[in-house]
Amino acid sequence: MSQHDILVLYYSRHGATRELARLIVEGIESVPGVNARLRTVPAISTVCEASEPSVPSEGAPYVEYSDLQECIGLALGSPTRFGNMAAPMKYFWDGSSSQWLNGALIGKPACVFTSTGSLHGGQESTLLTMMIPLLHHGMMIVGLPYSEPDLMSSATGGSPYGVTHLAHADGRAPISAEEQRLAKAQGKRLAQAALKLIGD
């Protein structure tokens, strides 16, 4: 079986969304024949002269639009910003018109994940709004079914729309055991769906 890449693309300020991404990578790579390609996006600034280094000082490399073309599936994650994805992630998708025009993502599966500072701080609205550009790109959304028992027992995060994490206001709350299992399950489910769709 050939090796196929699933793009795990995230933005994280305090590390919680990055940790969810890492757990999703574990789930993806538990499926034989699939590799996770972990990427992030640079921060943006209202100061015109401000710019990020071309290579991050730590963590995953920055995403390139070619990663969209080369992947067989996508896991997309962002912290919540007023019930929506963070501006750096939105900026990346706003620049993806060429990939939309050439159909780079049509027919590929995708899932979404997020972390918030409060339990009712927009987890589900962020997941739903992150799906919108993916649907415009022709992707197929893979959620989390209630066959995952942690969806019914988690008191901190978890949704049929995608895995979530309650990070608290300082962003430092550890990812709960339920959230960890849900993140791995989501990655595994995405990888399995991607392989089915390409016929492997």
Side-chain angles (χ1 to χ4, degrees):
M1 183 184 291
S2 59
Q3 194 74 18
H4 302 289
D5 280 4
I6 290 180
L7 178 61
V8 180
L9 176 59
Y10 72 91
Y11 176 71
S12 188
R13 279 291 298 276
H14 302 293
T17 309
R18 179 177 61 234
E19 180 61 14
L20 279 181
R22 187 192 65 75
L23 291 161
I24 288 171
V25 164
E26 282 188 41
I28 290 168
E29 294 188 339
S30 72
V31 177
V34 183
N35 183 62
R37 186 183 298 191
L38 189 63
R39 297 291 185 267
T40 190
V41 294
I44 59 174
S45 173
T46 57
V47 180
C48 293
E49 295 80 16
S51 63
E52 292 289 302
S54 58
V55 177
S57 58
E58 62 178 347
Y62 291 136
V63 68
E64 298 180 4
Y65 286 109
S66 59
D67 291 316
L68 301 180
Q69 186 75 44
E70 295 165 4
C71 72
I72 64 165
L74 168 70
L76 180 66
S78 170
T80 292
R81 294 293 182 267
F82 300 106
N84 209 326
M85 74 178 90
M89 186 61 75
K90 178 73 163 54
Y91 183 81
F92 172 79
W93 287 102
D94 284 350
S96 65
S97 295
S98 293
Q99 289 67 38
W100 175 74
L101 287 167
N102 71 25
L105 292 171
I106 290 175
K108 296 178 182 180
C111 68
V112 290
F113 59 100
T114 190
S115 62
T116 55
S118 62
L119 187 57
H120 303 292
Q123 289 183 349
E124 291 187 344
S125 64
T126 299
L127 296 176
L128 290 167
T129 53
M130 278 198 294
M131 292 177 190
I132 293 172
L134 306 184
L135 291 167
H136 276 264
H137 274 278
M139 301 197 83
M140 295 185 285
I141 304 300
V142 176
L144 270 171
Y146 278 96
S147 55
E148 296 297 332
D150 290 308
L151 279 182
M152 295 298 285
S153 61
S154 174
T156 58
S159 162
Y161 311 135
V163 67
T164 65
H165 167 60
L166 173 59
H168 293 300
D170 62 359
R172 304 198 189 289
I175 294 181
S176 72
E178 293 93 346
E179 292 167 343
Q180 291 179 40
R181 288 191 294 266
L182 288 169
K184 291 175 187 177
Q186 183 165 317
K188 182 177 181 180
R189 190 162 192 259
L190 176 64
Q192 290 170 333
L195 287 179
K196 286 180 181 177
L197 285 167
I198 63 171
D200 271 16

